């Protein structure tokens, strides 16, 4: 029986990693989704907290045998942060994957730059071996297919994907993955409140079978953005007023621009003269990307960009490493954001000893990084070469990461109306809290699988088929009749050929297959006590049926026979008994109900005719 | 259902279409083009008082009657209306426009009538357009409104529109269509309100309309964000091809593959000058420009503030140094010049691959950024203000409006018309001789090198063969133009303004969904290799244009102990369909089966066409032929049903 064609295979999701880390993991995103037999890898992140093999996901989880290209139908990258795309060249060039990689245009533009930057720190500065090369980044990017927002991209005949605006960083997108009537939405990182340079994430009521959402800030309901901004400005201002230096470790693109806009407008308003610097050559380049991809920023910036481009900063200058030793106050944005390497770490080492100075961590720091250590209160840091660095400068943490908080996550679930929710990219305890909240409020099941654990969701989609217009119209016309109160049965034949399903009338099915109809007919003899002539008996039958079956077409034909719809009744004389007449009731298999009803009715005899 | 699937043609202009498609109970307006050729009948609106224009003589009838001399002026044998220029709107009477559900815009040139439709017809629907189309369309409208509003004209002529008077006027005024419906320009307020009804869409985005129809914009290769549209239900597909180009200029290339297998293709916006090769025209433009400037003359290029100007600036960027023109200033004068130049740089995703990869560097996709930086290209909102201080000659001026009836171009026509200058007329949408008429006689040299990158008729014929459209396209009628014929089979239908075309469809199927519970209960049976069948008996539900099949309800338990109902209430519903049967009955096996089920005394007789099986004891006769079986028995329901079931064992149900 070849019925499996009409049934579906379930949706399976597997966030994977080799490392047993409380299951859930904020450090790196990489999720495998199987939907109706299609395998899609969502994000390909690396872990910032490690400098060894553990930084990349273990791709042997995907398939033990065979090539990744054969197993995966496509890879989707949600945005350019390295914890979402950092392992991509390793994955495609070193492990080996030649299939399509989908991302938005800004992500495609910016991601190779960040990868190269990261490669330089790892290889050139730390001298790591077995790392991807510049050429590998280029080759990897050749496999990328850029997508527009809301464009439906047909990966193959059955698999389609669609990107939605996610806020968070320039070019960040949420993706809907759809096969037939089954779909999964993957949010990547997103932000439900617009900020100074980006808009809020938005998705339509697409009712996916599953919504996979990040849950970095699963329990936090953050205080108003305005308060956080005021707090930030106050701290920066106080520090520079007392002659201190402020270090703000950031990633070159993302929060950096948000905070630059914030400081720029504050400096302008307060007429401050203290220098603000932005480290690395990326700055200008980064801002240029924002100018060219201004359609991805928020409404206000887009509307006014012709008059005043928000990414042209007056007060913020390029940083030179010699400036770090300059006396007097200054504010420096330096990369990278978690103080795990590079210029931000160098400056931190220089300034850490002075209690007048301040470091402000504006985003989440992964375990293992210097950023994470100082945020968790550590004040003596063991640096390379057994050197111990004493941290006297003030350490501040301010959440400027553009992640959705609990309220935002709930909002998105409300927008998309999924059948179930799966939480990833968060910490177990916080996720559990959110899980309960989602299950209570939306009455949908909510999962939070550990790394390497697989979640399988049964789905039962309806099957789309083509119905022949003739058959449909016949049914619709009957459906319009006033008596059609009880549900109407439609009868037809489903023809399944290759992957096409067509529902046609039985007649058409026979015709298409070149088969003849086999007519099955019944004729029943009903004996009646009647001494009159056959013609009179027929007439009595006619008047009896006419008065009994008001809704049916009863006719008396010239040849003396009676019809009820298509059922034929003839009266004949009995061969032996002249006092008995034989009624021959004849009908086809298709009229069986009425035929057998009529014989039963006639068997009861005819009412006495008024003589 | 037959009243559906019609095309109402509201504009007769071949490149500024406005059609309404009725499709699956959805009313879709395809483009909203504004025919601005009507303005050619009016006198230009000068920015500064023009003695020449204000001293033109009034026009009088042959018999000397001069009652129209206030409204009509004569210039070099042509007659012009001395009034605020008016536009020829799409037909508003052919169909009730308040019933339009959605408007699909294909490019920024084809949306200029939008405010007239959305603000004055009771329209309550949604307009769909891409972001560049909307943004640049806004700039075009803003420019138009600005051009008209900044030179208020007291005079408003209406006498000449009287049908009896219009008959007496010389051509082309005599032949102008629907003059009574011509309207003045809209206001910025109306523009803003109209644009607020636009919902932005991206290429290949599937947009559901009322659950019945899906519309999708596709790249058309003609302008930034320009699109063709697919309008489809599950089994019908209409492609709407508007201004499209196969040439490689700045926009993303045309998506041809998605047009494949359409049932109907509506084709508009083809070039009307198929012999003018755009590359050749650009070359001619550049060499004439160099020649003029070297001789100390100025070059005036009437143009729209967006579109071809980007390509021209790019050509000039590559050309000026080699031609020794580095010191010649280029001026771009338009109230939206700055915005247009800025906007062109931010739509990376809508550009051709070459330009896209520049953005990845990151560099601006268009080289005019560099021309501006190096002061070679300067832009001004108008000739007033800074421009008059910076103005140096000889120079090249790009400015609007291409109709030469309003905008800063009027000023330069008056200023340079009698000098050694060159007018490079590039716009294909206006007849250039008609555009120049009110300036005659002209001393300035006029070069007509129209640049039209839209599909020509040879390209279309090729395209149509490739996309395998089953029913051929509707195009605007072009009388007497053999070069504008499309060679295709079946031949194209053509339309005229205010015509209604019935679109032929050969649809045979409709989408229906089978609920999972029903699907699980189906028993497929392989009839031939690769083909399986399952009979379906199900309940049909139709809601919001969607059809769903659900499992039939379980038969209700008979109310046994209750009092017997009247006979007539038990009459079965004969409309319950029984399946058809197919196959044939092998007599010997059938007889064996009968015997196995306790029938004895069976006799088989051969007949001409088959056999007769006699069950003598039961006084029953079964006629078996190739395609029929007839059971003749006494009125014994149990017996009949037993025999029936035995017969059915040998047959397939459909």
């Amino acid at each position: 029986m070849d019925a499996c064609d009409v049934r579906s295979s379930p949706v399976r999701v597997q966030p994977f990693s080799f490392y047993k880390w409380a299951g859930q993991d904020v450090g790196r995103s990489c999720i495998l989704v199987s939907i109706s037999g299609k395998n899609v890898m969502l994000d390909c992140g690396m872990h910032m907290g490690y400098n060894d093999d553990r930084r990349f996901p273990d791709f042997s989880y995907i398939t033990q045998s065979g090539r990744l290209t054969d197993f995966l139908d496509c890879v989707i990258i949600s945005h350019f942060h390295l914890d979402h795309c950092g392992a991509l060249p390793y994955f495609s060039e070193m492990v080996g994957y030649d299939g399509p990689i989908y991302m938005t245009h800004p992500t495609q533009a910016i991601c190779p730059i960040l990868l190269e930057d990261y490669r330089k720190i790892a290889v050139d500065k730390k001298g790591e071996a077995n790392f991807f090369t510049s050429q590998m980044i280029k080759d990897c990017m050749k496999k990328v297919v850029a997508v527009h927002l809301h464009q439906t991209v047909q990966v193959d005949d059955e698999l389609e994907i669609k990107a939605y605006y996610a806020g968070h960083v320039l070019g960040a997108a949420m993706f809907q993955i759809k096969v037939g009537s089954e779909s999964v939405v993957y949010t990547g990182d997103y932000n439900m409140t617009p900020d100074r340079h980006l808009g809020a994430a938005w998705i339509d009521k697409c009712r996916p079978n599953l919504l996979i959402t990040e849950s970095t800030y699963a329990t936090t309901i953050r205080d108003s953005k305005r308060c956080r901004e005021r707090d930030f400005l106050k701290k920066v201002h106080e520090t520079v007023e007392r002659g201190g230096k402020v270090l703000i470790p950031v990633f070159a693109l993302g929060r950096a621009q948000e905070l630059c806009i914030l400081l720029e407008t504050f400096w302008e308003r307060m007429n401050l003269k203290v220098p603000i610097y932005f480290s690395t050559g990326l700055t200008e380049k980064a801002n240029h990307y924002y100018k060219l991809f201004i359609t991805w920023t928020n409404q206000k910036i887009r509307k006014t960009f012709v008059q005043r481009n928000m990414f042209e900063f007056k007060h913020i200058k390029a940083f030179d490493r010699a400036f770090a030793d300059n006396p007097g106050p200054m504010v420096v944005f330096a990369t990278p954001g978690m103080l795990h390497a590079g210029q931000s770490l160098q400056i931190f080492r220089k300034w850490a000893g002075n209690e007048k100075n301040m470091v402000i961590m504006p985003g989440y720091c992964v375990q293992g990084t210097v950023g994470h250590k100082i945020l968790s209160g550590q004040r003596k840091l063991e640096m390379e070469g057994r050197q111990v660095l004493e941290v006297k400068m003030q350490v501040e943490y301010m959440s400027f990461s553009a992640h959705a908080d609990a309220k935002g996550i709930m909002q998105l679930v409300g927008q998309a109306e999924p059948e179930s929710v799966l939480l990833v990219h968060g910490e177990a305890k916080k996720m559990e809290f959110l899980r309960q909240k989602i299950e209570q409020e939306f009455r949908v099941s909510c999962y939070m699988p550990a790394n390497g654990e697989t979640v399988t969701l049964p789905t039962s989609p309806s099957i789309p088929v083509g119905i022949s217009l003739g058959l449909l119209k016949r049914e619709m016309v009957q459906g319009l009749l006033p008596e059609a109160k009880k549900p109407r049965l439609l009868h037809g034949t489903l023809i399944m050929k290759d992957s096409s399903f067509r529902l046609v009338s039985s007649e058409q099915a026979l015709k298409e297959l070149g088969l003849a109809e086999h007519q099955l007919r019944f004729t029943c003899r009903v004996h009646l006590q009647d001494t009159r002539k056959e013609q009179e008996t027929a007439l009595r039958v006619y008047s009896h049926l006419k008065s009994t079956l008001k809704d049916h077409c009863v006719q008396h034909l010239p040849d003396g026979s009676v019809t009820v719809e298509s059922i034929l009744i003839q009266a004949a004389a009995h061969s032996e008994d002249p006092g008995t007449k034989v009624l021959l009731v004849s009908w086809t298999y298709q009229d069986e109900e009425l035929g057998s009803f009529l014989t039963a009715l006639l068997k009861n005899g005819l009412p006495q005719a008024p003589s | 259902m037959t009243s559906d699937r019609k095309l109402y043609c509201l504009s007769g202009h071949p490149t500024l279409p406005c059609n309404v498609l009725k499709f699956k109970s959805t009313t879709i307006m395809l483009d909203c083009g504004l025919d601005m050729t009507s303005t050619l009948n009016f006198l230009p609106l000068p920015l500064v008082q023009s003695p020449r224009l204000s001293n033109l003589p009034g026009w009088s009838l042959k018999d000397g009657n001069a009652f129209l001399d206030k409204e009509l002026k004569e210039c070099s044998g042509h007659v012009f209306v001395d009034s605020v220029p008016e536009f020829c709107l799409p037909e508003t009477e052919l169909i009730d426009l308040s019933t339009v559900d959605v408007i699909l815009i294909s490019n920024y040139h084809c949306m200029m009538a939008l405010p007239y439709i959305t603000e004055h017809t009771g329209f309550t629907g949604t307009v769909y357009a891409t972001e560049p189309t909307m943004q640049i369309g806004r700039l075009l409208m803003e420019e138009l409104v600005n051009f008209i509003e900044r030179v208020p004209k007291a005079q408003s002529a209406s006498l000449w529109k009287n049908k009896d008077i219009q008959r007496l006027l010389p051509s082309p005024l005599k032949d102008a269509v629907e003059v009574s419906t011509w309207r003045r320009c809209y206001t910025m307020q109306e523009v803003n309100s109209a644009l607020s009804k636009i919902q932005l869409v991206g290429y290949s985005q599937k947009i559901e309309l009322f659950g019945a129809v899906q519309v999708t914009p596709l790249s058309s290769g003609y302008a930034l964000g320009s699109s063709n549209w697919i309008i489809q239900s599950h089994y019908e597909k209409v492609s709407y091809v508007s201004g499209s180009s196969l040439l490689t200029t700045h926009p993303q290339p045309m998506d041809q593959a998605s047009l494949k297998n359409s049932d109907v293709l509506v084709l508009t916006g083809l070039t009307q000058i198929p012999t003018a090769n755009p590359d050749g025209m650009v070359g001619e433009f550049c060499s004439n420009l160099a020649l003029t400037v070297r001789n100390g003359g100025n070059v005036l290029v009437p143009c729209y503030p967006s579109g071809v100007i980007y390509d021209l600036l790019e050509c000039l960027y590559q050309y000026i140094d080699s031609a020794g023109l580095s010191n010649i200033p280029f001026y771009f004068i338009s109230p939206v010049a700055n915005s247009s130049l800025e906007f062109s740089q931010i739509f990376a995703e809508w550009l051709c691959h070459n330009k896209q990869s520049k953005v990845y560097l990151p560099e601006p996709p268009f080289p005019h950024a560099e021309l501006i930086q190096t002061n070679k290209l300067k832009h001004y909102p108008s000739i007033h203000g800074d421009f008059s201080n910076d103005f140096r000659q000889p120079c090249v001026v790009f400015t609007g409006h291409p109709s030469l009836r309003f905008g800063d171009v009027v000023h330069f026509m008056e200023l340079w018309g009698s000098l050694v200058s060159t007018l490079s007329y590039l716009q294909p949408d206006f007849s250039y001789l008609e555009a120049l008429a009110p300036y005659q006689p002209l001393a300035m040299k006029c070069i007509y090198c129209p640049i039209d990158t839209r599909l020509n008729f040879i390209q279309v014929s090729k395209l149509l063969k490739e996309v395998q459209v089953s029913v051929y396209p509707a195009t605007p009628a072009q009388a007497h133009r053999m070069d504008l014929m499309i060679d295709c089979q079946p031949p194209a239908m053509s339309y005229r303004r205010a015509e209604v075309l019935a679109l032929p469809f050969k649809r045979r199927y409709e989408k229906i969904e089978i609920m999972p519970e029903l699907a699980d209960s189906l028993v497929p049976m392989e009839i031939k290799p690769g083909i399986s069948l399952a009979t379906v008996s199900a309940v049909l539900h139709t809601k919001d244009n969607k059809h769903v099949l659900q499992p039939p309800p379980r038969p209700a338990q008979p109310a046994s102990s209750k009092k017997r109902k009247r006979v007539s209430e038990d009459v079965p519903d004969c409309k319950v369909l029984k399946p058809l049967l197919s196959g044939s009955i092998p007599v010997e096996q059938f007889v064996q089966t009968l015997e196995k089920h306790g029938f004895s005394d069976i006799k088989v007789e051969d007949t001409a066409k088959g056999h007769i099986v006699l069950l003598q004891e039961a006084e029953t006769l079964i006629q078996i032929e190739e395609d029929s079986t007839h059971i003749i028995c006494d009125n014994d329901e149990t017996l009949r049903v037993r025999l029936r079931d035995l017969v059915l064992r040998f047959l397939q149900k459909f």
Side-chain angles (χ1 to χ4, degrees), chain A residues 379-396:
Chain A
R379 286 296 173 263
K380 286 203 166 61
L381 299 173
E382 196 173 316
M383 308 306 278
E384 289 141 50
R386 307 224 155 211
Q387 212 183 329
V388 173
L389 179 70
E390 198 172 341
V391 181
K392 289 186 182 154
M393 78 196 296
Q394 297 177 54
V395 178
E396 293 289 343

Side-chain angles (χ1 to χ4, degrees), chain A residues 104-278:
Chain A
T104 65
H105 283 270
T107 308
Q108 190 191 359
I110 295 164
C111 146
I113 291 164
L114 297 185
L115 287 170
E116 179 58 28
D117 213 45
Y118 166 57
R119 191 199 66 81
K120 270 193 201 144
I121 292 173
V123 178
D124 299 353
K125 294 223 173 104
K126 295 190 191 159
E128 286 179 39
N130 198 20
F131 209 80
F132 50 78
T133 63
S134 293
Q135 190 56 43
M136 285 177 182
I137 298 177
K138 284 185 190 132
D139 292 341
C140 165
M141 293 312 289
K142 282 182 193 148
K143 297 171 184 168
V144 170
V145 182
V147 301
H148 292 239
L149 281 182
H150 302 162
Q151 172 190 13
T152 302
V153 179
Q154 215 71 46
V155 177
D156 59 34
D157 284 348
E158 291 156 341
L159 173 62
E160 57 180 51
I161 61 172
K162 180 178 178 182
Y164 292 92
Y165 190 78
H168 187 63
V169 287
L170 196 72
M174 310 188 276
F175 279 88
Q176 182 192 41
I177 301 115
K178 197 171 170 193
V179 180
S181 57
E182 279 164 65
S183 64
V184 170
V185 168
Y186 171 60
T187 65
D189 290 350
Y190 63 102
N191 188 14
M192 293 300 286
T193 43
D195 56 28
R196 274 165 199 269
H197 80 293
L198 293 172
W202 176 86
I203 194 161
D204 53 14
K205 198 176 287 177
C206 55
R207 298 200 174 98
N209 299 94
L210 177 68
L211 175 79
I212 305 174
T213 172
E214 65 134 333
S215 49
T216 314
Y217 290 106
T219 47
T220 331
I221 296 204
R222 284 181 292 174
D223 44 354
S224 88
K225 202 174 53 119
R226 215 156 275 284
C227 290
R228 266 177 291 143
E229 288 179 355
R230 207 168 37 226
D231 224 27
F232 170 78
L233 292 170
K234 198 175 142 215
K235 280 182 178 139
V236 172
H237 194 198
E238 280 170 5
T239 309
V240 296
E241 284 286 272
R242 65 168 181 258
K245 295 176 167 64
V246 181
L247 172 64
I248 309 169
V250 287
F251 288 99
L253 291 120
R255 288 307 88 195
Q257 281 67 30
E258 177 79 4
L259 296 175
C260 282
I261 293 175
L262 188 60
L263 276 192
E264 167 91 6
T265 28
F266 185 71
W267 251 236
E268 185 86 35
R269 200 175 71 223
M270 304 295 286
N271 199 17
L272 296 178
K273 294 287 178 270
V274 176
I276 309 176
Y277 298 113
F278 201 119

Side-chain angles (χ1 to χ4, degrees), chain B residues 108-109 132 135-137 139-140 222-225 249-251 303-318 332 336-347 351 355 365-369 371-372 377 398 426-427:
Chain B
Y108 46 75
H109 286 299
Q135 296 291 6
I136 296 174
L139 297 182
L140 292 184
Y222 169 58
L224 263 178
T249 56
H250 58 272
C303 63
Y304 291 113
S306 177
V308 176
I309 187 169
Y310 304 144
D311 298 316
L312 286 181
L313 289 173
E314 185 153 7
C315 286
L316 290 171
Y317 168 80
Q318 290 155 0
F332 177 17
V336 297
N338 185 27
S339 299
S340 165
L341 293 170
E342 290 284 341
F343 269 111
S344 67
Q345 307 285 22
I346 66 158
F347 292 124
L351 294 171
K355 298 223 172 299
F366 286 97
H368 53 240
L371 286 175
I372 295 169
L377 172 67
F398 296 88
L426 309 172
Q427 297 302 329

Side-chain angles (χ1 to χ4, degrees), chain B residues 22-272:
Chain B
K22 284 213 172 192
F23 181 69
K24 296 217 65 166
S25 30
T26 313
T27 306
I28 302 170
M29 181 179 275
L30 305 170
D31 276 331
C32 212
L34 182 62
D35 187 349
M36 294 202 237
T37 53
S38 59
T39 60
L40 295 178
N41 296 297
F42 293 79
L43 272 189
L45 286 180
L47 273 175
V48 260
Q49 177 76 8
S50 157
R52 188 188 70 87
L53 285 173
S54 39
N55 291 333
L56 287 175
W59 181 79
S60 50
L61 291 168
K62 276 193 195 111
D63 60 9
N65 192 333
F67 74 104
L68 282 167
D69 69 346
K70 287 268 182 311
E71 294 201 349
L72 302 180
K73 304 283 177 192
E74 197 168 345
C75 176
S76 305
H78 285 83
V79 177
F80 298 95
V81 182
D82 186 11
S83 171
V84 185
E86 293 179 340
F87 305 107
C88 178
L89 270 51
E91 276 298 322
T92 50
E93 302 295 312
L94 191 62
I95 181 171
D96 179 1
L97 292 177
S98 68
T99 63
V100 171
D101 297 309
V102 295
I103 302 179
L104 309 181
I105 304 291
S106 53
N107 63 67
Y108 46 75
H109 286 299
C110 293
M111 62 185 282
M112 297 299 280
L114 199 59
Y116 294 117
I117 305 293
T118 59
E119 306 310 298
H120 298 287
T121 62
F123 172 79
T124 54
T126 309
V127 184
Y128 292 96
T130 63
E131 180 162 13
T133 298
M134 197 271 263
Q135 296 291 6
I136 296 174
R138 176 195 295 276
L139 297 182
L140 292 184
M141 291 182 181
E142 230 178 276
E143 186 192 59
L144 186 67
V145 172
N146 189 296
F147 282 162
I148 305 271
E149 284 185 354
R150 73 184 179 190
V151 271
K153 191 161 179 130
Q155 168 106 333
S156 175
S158 56
L159 212 52
W160 71 277
K161 289 184 176 181
N162 185 311
K163 273 209 169 89
D164 294 326
I165 295 173
Q166 199 197 349
R167 266 191 298 123
L168 305 172
L169 304 180
S171 280
L173 277 179
K174 186 172 70 177
D175 310 315
V177 293
E178 310 263 351
V179 291
S180 59
T181 65
W182 288 12
R183 290 286 173 272
R184 289 190 184 199
C185 191
Y186 32 74
T187 63
M188 218 37 225
Q189 196 185 357
E190 287 169 316
V191 170
N192 287 330
S193 169
L195 294 178
S196 72
K197 296 176 172 109
I198 293 185
Q199 190 167 325
L200 298 181
V201 293
Y203 289 150
S204 304
Q205 179 175 348
K206 295 176 177 171
I207 304 136
E208 295 283 342
L209 305 179
F210 318 110
V213 180
Q214 193 183 62
V215 296
T216 308
L218 305 172
S219 175
S220 79
Y222 169 58
L224 263 178
S226 71
S227 11
N228 293 323
W229 292 84
I230 303 281
I231 300 123
Q232 62 189 341
S233 67
H234 288 280
Y235 289 91
E236 293 157 291
K237 178 171 173 181
V238 181
S239 290
Y240 174 59
V241 173
S242 183
S244 301
S245 178
L246 294 172
L247 300 180
T248 317
T249 56
H250 58 272
Q252 219 182 82
M254 176 178 178
D255 178 353
Q256 298 178 61
S258 307
L259 300 175
K260 275 198 174 166
N261 302 319
S262 306
D263 295 302
V264 171
L265 191 136
V266 180
L267 190 58
T268 64
L270 305 181
T271 178
Q272 300 301 298

